[in-house]
Amino acid sequence: MNVLLTGGAGYIGSHIAVELLESGYDVVIADNFSNSDKGVITAIEKITGKRIDLFEIDVADKVKLNEVFEQTKPEAVIHLAGFKAVGESVSKPLMYYRNNIDCTLSLLEIMEAHNVNKLVFSSSATVYGIGERLPYTEEMLLGEASNPYGATKQMIERIIMDTVSCGWLSAVILRYFNPVGAHQSALIGEKPQGIPNNLMPYIMQVANGSLPELRVYGNDYPTRDGTGVRDYIHVMDLAKGHVDALKYFQDNDGVEVFNLGTGVGYSVLEIVAAFEKANGVKIPYSIVGRRDGDLAEVYADVKKAKNLLGWNAKLTIEDMCKDSYAFALIEKT
């Protein structure tokens, strides 16, 4: 199967590309490199020994996206293109609504025009908002999104579900929890531009000396140690979930939603301690005020993915910390 990855040069997309290529799929990437760099493509090809068809385009540009479909004739799409920083979405909501919604509408219209009817969508646990209970389960009613980024994911899920109801599209919606880690080769990993918005790359930049200390946003949440609790999943486990989602289409149509997480929550300070233990590196930190849009505690119920996809996370928090640091050290040199 020939698979198009929108936003495929990004952190998650690059790891999915590796997993797809090593599972026998052909991969096409469409990316404008707004939060990634072209060196990632070279690294993917080095890891896998296989070639990628690359198109440097904005996925919202229907003319250029149509050319990609005409030239490569994908049989399925994994849609990752979009802005993803919670804090930035609060300060720049219009940018998030315009980009994330436009990319999806353009993609679906071009897919329909080319009779491409299989879509895997990169959603997020942020769609649950302030969930009615923990752990978060797929059948829960979605609460009001706590930030514009989450709101765009909710809207896109609805757009996809409404499109599926028309009869021509089948979709798997994957709600990510908190992807961390890097490929075991240390050739690809998370490399955000500027000061990181997410915890693990922030820790990495402190560990390799690029930043003096970690800023912990709030220690007055109603959690074990007062810091926010999240469900962290190794990015390679997450990538495998996308391969399983594509296989799901062999015997199923319509639309299905799956959580991808471990089912276990760790606080910010627990992650810091785990990193220090795994790598023997001290991470200095300071406590600052809460960040707009953040919730106290989020973790997944993952039984549905195990039962229907045959998928479950296998890599540990120690693996996440070690692989992240290995990539950070390579990047520093």
Side-chain angles (χ1 to χ4, degrees), residues 172-224:
V172 172
I173 294 171
L174 300 177
R175 292 175 179 163
Y176 305 168
F177 280 69
N178 288 72
V180 297
H183 189 266
Q184 288 78 4
S185 67
L187 293 176
I188 56 173
E190 189 166 13
K191 189 171 59 174
Q193 298 176 0
I195 296 177
N197 289 288
N198 296 328
L199 176 61
M200 190 63 81
Y202 204 143
I203 291 175
M204 295 309 100
Q205 291 198 18
V206 175
N208 70 17
S210 298
L211 293 173
E213 65 176 11
L214 170 70
R215 292 162 62 89
V216 177
Y217 296 102
N219 67 343
D220 57 350
Y221 288 103
T223 60
R224 293 184 292 274

Side-chain angles (χ1 to χ4, degrees), residues 64-109:
K64 291 183 179 179
L65 186 61
N66 186 66
E67 292 173 357
V68 173
F69 275 72
E70 288 181 341
Q71 292 180 43
T72 65
K73 295 179 172 50
E75 299 164 76
V77 177
I78 297 177
H79 180 34
L80 304 110
F83 297 142
K84 63 175 186 176
V86 167
E88 184 181 55
S89 79
V90 174
S91 62
K92 300 178 180 179
L94 294 180
M95 184 177 78
Y96 271 68
Y97 286 115
R98 170 65 70 184
N99 181 75
N100 292 4
I101 302 301
D102 276 5
C103 283
T104 302
L105 292 175
S106 294
L107 175 65
L108 288 171
E109 288 170 353

Side-chain angles (χ1 to χ4, degrees), residues 90-207:
V90 174
S91 62
K92 300 178 180 179
L94 294 180
M95 184 177 78
Y96 271 68
Y97 286 115
R98 170 65 70 184
N99 181 75
N100 292 4
I101 302 301
D102 276 5
C103 283
T104 302
L105 292 175
S106 294
L107 175 65
L108 288 171
E109 288 170 353
I110 297 300
M111 286 179 66
E112 183 178 22
H114 288 267
N115 297 312
V116 179
N117 61 2
K118 298 178 178 64
L119 175 68
V120 178
F121 174 56
S122 163
S123 191
S124 166
T126 58
V127 300
Y128 290 110
I130 302 174
E132 59 192 52
R133 64 181 184 277
L134 287 169
Y136 288 2
T137 59
E138 292 89 345
E139 72 275 6
M140 285 170 52
L141 293 176
L142 302 185
E144 181 179 354
S146 60
N147 52 74
Y149 163 69
T152 67
K153 292 295 188 181
Q154 287 184 341
M155 292 176 185
I156 292 168
E157 286 196 12
R158 178 59 187 267
I159 291 167
I160 291 170
M161 290 177 181
D162 287 347
T163 305
V164 169
S165 70
C166 294
W168 67 268
L169 180 69
S170 291
V172 172
I173 294 171
L174 300 177
R175 292 175 179 163
Y176 305 168
F177 280 69
N178 288 72
V180 297
H183 189 266
Q184 288 78 4
S185 67
L187 293 176
I188 56 173
E190 189 166 13
K191 189 171 59 174
Q193 298 176 0
I195 296 177
N197 289 288
N198 296 328
L199 176 61
M200 190 63 81
Y202 204 143
I203 291 175
M204 295 309 100
Q205 291 198 18
V206 175

Side-chain angles (χ1 to χ4, degrees), residues 50-68:
K50 297 180 179 179
R51 180 181 172 276
I52 289 174
D53 284 332
L54 172 66
F55 293 83
E56 187 174 353
I57 67 164
D58 184 337
V59 174
D61 186 330
K62 288 179 63 177
V63 173
K64 291 183 179 179
L65 186 61
N66 186 66
E67 292 173 357
V68 173

